[in-house]
Amino acid sequence: MKKERISEILTVLVFALLALGVFQIHPFLVVLAMTATFIYILYRNDNEFEQRSRMESNQLANRVKTTASDAYLKQKRLYTLVANIPLPLVLLNIDGKVVLYNSFFEVFRDNKDDRELTYNKNDFEKDIHKFVNDAFIFERNIDKTMSVKGKEYQAISVPITTEGKFSGCVVLFQDISKAKEKEQMQKEFIADASHELKTPISAIKGMIEILNRDSFDDEEIRKEFMIQIQKENDRLEAIVRDLLQLSRLSSDVLVLKRDSMDFTRILDASISSLQQKAENKGLKIVADYQTHEDVFVDFEQMEVVVNNLLNNAIAYSDSGTITLRTYKKDDYYVFEIQDEGRGLSEENTHKIFERFYRVDKARSRLSGGSGLGLSIVKSILEAHNAILEVESEENKGSVFRILIKY
Ligand code: ADP
């Protein structure tokens, strides 16, 4: 019984005794008054108690509700976070049970059955299984590259500690296929570039060695060698120039200096510089400009594009006409260069934009090409968001078409 209630009852008893002893009130009246007072106290106290306990229960219920909703929110936040991490991720608890994994991790699951997944009992791909197993058993950071389903992954395990003790781990996987591919391409490029540079250097070296021999006195061959050395040197220069150009284009800092201008000015400049070369081969260059509208381009870079395309049209044609045409088509300004040269097979039409790819190595070498011209053209046009199309037929000729959006 509550303390206050006992003291109230005692007070009533004291008053009753006083009423009986001191004030000589009739015992019946005193008993009647006492009974009424007790009923009131008990009834009132019961009500109060009920009210208080109801209040306390409400408070408790509210507290439980808030805690539950807090926990729910926290869990939801964690789930949302994990689901939105764009890497396959799996979370194991202290017992090695898989408590959470995101949709990106699904690709590593084989059977996808409903059984409980643990670090050593799961349906993960073989290598993933081993890594998750090691991550849990060794309780430390592990970092490993692995190949799964044709992709390269960097797997990382991070142990979770609570008050200094291991309490599970997070294992995540980063897809590094693209970076690997880039690395491989760079390696190939360096190997190709070294090979391309080695060829003229070896030729020059060989000729100089012969010229330096004490016994050498053939004036005719000397002259021939000097011409050859000059040519190989020009080739070296062209390769180095194109390599530098390409590296500038592929470094992500290329800033185009665009200006509005009449594209045919670039075409005229290119024709002037290569006219003689074409005439030497008996080729005719025709300008067919159906539009003189301005386009918004980087003048210098577009000069490189046009020079490369016209140079190729001359180099890979033995006869006929080369036509430089401009016209409007829908939202595009179109420039095309058409030749009646040796043309390309369907397969080569796609390959010619690869670095150092040449259909006919000897012919390219003879024309002083570096094998990088079209890779440069492609990069410059990509930077301009321009479209490049090729139509070609073997022994009939080719059309290289550039579409620049107005
Ligand atoms: P290259 O320095 O060898 O000319 P490019 O990158 O400019 O290098 O061209 C790659 C290859 O594409 C050339 O070696 C050639 O085989 C082919 N090619 C380019 N333009 C033409 C064309 N107009 N007609 C036929 N083949 C061409």
Side-chain angles (χ1 to χ4, degrees):
M1 199 180 281
K2 291 243 165 170
K3 258 188 198 165
E4 311 96 73
R5 202 181 284 189
I6 296 169
S7 67
E8 277 173 350
I9 292 169
L10 285 174
T11 316
V12 174
L13 283 174
V14 169
F15 272 113
L17 287 175
L18 279 176
L20 284 170
V22 181
F23 301 109
Q24 302 278 305
I25 295 173
H26 194 282
F28 176 73
L29 286 176
V30 174
V31 170
L32 197 72
M34 262 174 68
T35 314
T37 316
F38 280 150
I39 289 172
Y40 167 73
I41 289 170
L42 284 175
Y43 176 75
R44 193 205 68 202
N45 279 348
D46 272 355
N47 249 4
E48 236 174 48
F49 180 71
E50 226 173 74
Q51 263 175 5
R52 208 176 301 145
S53 17
R54 204 176 298 137
M55 227 166 69
E56 277 170 6
S57 322
N58 277 347
Q59 276 172 354
L60 196 69
N62 277 339
R63 223 175 300 145
V64 170
K65 216 167 106 187
T66 324
T67 316
S69 93
D70 269 5
Y72 175 72
L73 271 179
K74 274 182 193 153
Q75 196 187 35
K76 216 174 145 190
R77 244 179 260 153
L78 177 69
Y79 276 34
T80 316
L81 185 79
V82 169
N84 284 293
I85 291 176
L87 309 170
L89 180 150
V90 63
L91 182 70
L92 282 85
N93 69 6
I94 192 163
D95 305 317
K97 276 186 196 155
V98 173
V99 278
L100 197 62
Y101 62 86
N102 61 8
S103 60
F104 300 97
F105 189 81
E106 292 272 3
V107 285
F108 297 147
R109 294 193 60 193
D110 266 349
N111 306 318
K112 302 197 177 145
D113 53 25
D114 288 337
R115 73 189 150 122
E116 194 178 56
L117 304 175
T118 68
Y119 73 99
N120 59 357
K121 281 188 192 139
N122 55 55
D123 51 18
F124 306 163
E125 282 275 319
K126 206 171 125 247
D127 285 345
I128 303 291
H129 174 100
K130 183 164 182 341
F131 190 81
V132 171
N133 199 66
D134 288 354
F136 182 73
I137 289 174
F138 295 121
E139 301 184 5
R140 62 178 167 83
N141 287 85
I142 314 178
D143 191 319
K144 195 181 168 192
T145 53
M146 58 177 75
S147 182
V148 185
K149 293 193 170 173
K151 282 190 175 180
E152 290 286 323
Y153 288 95
Q154 176 91 36
I156 301 161
S157 84
V158 185
I160 303 166
T161 48
T162 317
E163 287 162 10
K165 279 189 186 155
F166 177 79
S167 61
C169 60
V170 182
V171 183
L172 44 95
F173 302 83
Q174 187 169 13
D175 184 352
I176 52 164
S177 314
K178 281 216 174 95
K180 278 262 169 193
E181 208 177 290
K182 214 171 164 187
E183 193 185 298
Q184 184 58 28
M185 270 170 68
Q186 259 165 358
K187 275 188 193 158
E188 279 169 19
F189 179 59
I190 290 169
D192 288 347
S194 314
H195 177 75
E196 291 297 324
L197 291 168
K198 217 177 123 199
T199 316
I201 290 172
S202 304
I204 294 172
K205 198 173 161 230
M207 285 183 277
I208 289 177
E209 266 171 19
I210 296 172
L211 289 174
N212 274 339
R213 275 183 201 155
D214 291 342
S215 56
F216 185 82
D217 64 350
D218 191 327
E219 188 55 20
E220 215 33 36
I221 293 182
R222 195 190 68 81
K223 273 189 191 158
E224 176 60 28
F225 274 14
M226 290 316 277
I227 294 169
Q228 278 304 319
I229 288 173
Q230 180 68 47
K231 271 194 184 163
E232 295 295 347
N233 189 59
D234 289 349
R235 231 162 74 73
L236 268 180
E237 235 174 40
I239 296 172
V240 172
R241 183 202 59 218
D242 285 355
L243 278 173
L244 283 174
Q245 169 93 11
L246 205 56
S247 89
R248 264 199 302 270
L249 288 167
S250 40
S251 67
D252 300 327
V253 288
L254 175 78
V255 182
L256 292 177
K257 288 183 226 129
R258 288 189 191 230
D259 226 330
S260 268
M261 58 130 55
D262 180 354
F263 200 77
T264 61
R265 275 175 53 204
I266 303 177
L267 305 184
D268 285 339
S270 187
I271 293 173
S272 300
S273 68
L274 291 164
Q275 186 81 49
Q276 194 55 53
K277 201 172 172 182
E279 275 172 22
N280 291 346
K281 287 188 80 181
L283 300 165
K284 208 172 140 201
I285 301 181
V286 172
D288 173 16
Y289 304 151
Q290 293 163 27
T291 178
H292 279 274
E293 272 192 39
D294 279 2
V295 277
F296 192 56
V297 292
D298 184 316
F299 190 94
E300 265 179 45
Q301 301 288 351
M302 278 300 180
E303 254 182 350
V304 174
V305 169
V306 176
N307 279 337
N308 265 302
L309 294 178
L310 185 53
N311 212 354
N312 280 348
I314 297 169
Y316 303 106
S317 300
D318 299 316
S319 61
T321 304
I322 296 168
T323 310
L324 283 83
R325 196 173 290 121
T326 64
Y327 56 95
K328 280 169 75 174
K329 191 183 177 214
D330 305 326
D331 290 344
Y332 293 96
Y333 179 98
V334 187
F335 157 62
E336 63 184 32
I337 175 163
Q338 182 169 16
D339 67 54
E340 295 167 353
R342 45 178 42 209
L344 294 152
S345 67
E346 166 95 42
E347 192 195 349
N348 281 329
T349 307
H350 304 289
K351 286 191 173 170
I352 51 171
F353 295 98
E354 288 169 20
R355 290 159 175 180
F356 297 118
Y357 183 82
R358 288 117 160 190
V359 179
D360 181 346
K361 277 208 176 220
R363 195 183 171 106
S364 161
R365 193 154 294 151
L366 223 65
S367 69
S370 66
L372 294 170
L374 288 181
S375 309
I376 292 173
V377 166
K378 192 173 160 228
S379 301
I380 295 175
L381 293 177
E382 271 170 8
H384 278 85
N385 279 328
I387 301 167
L388 174 63
E389 293 175 352
V390 186
E391 277 168 27
S392 191
E393 208 178 317
E394 266 181 302
N395 302 319
K396 287 247 167 87
S398 317
V399 180
F400 286 77
R401 187 176 300 116
I402 298 170
L403 293 96
I404 304 163
K405 196 143 192 156
Y406 277 115

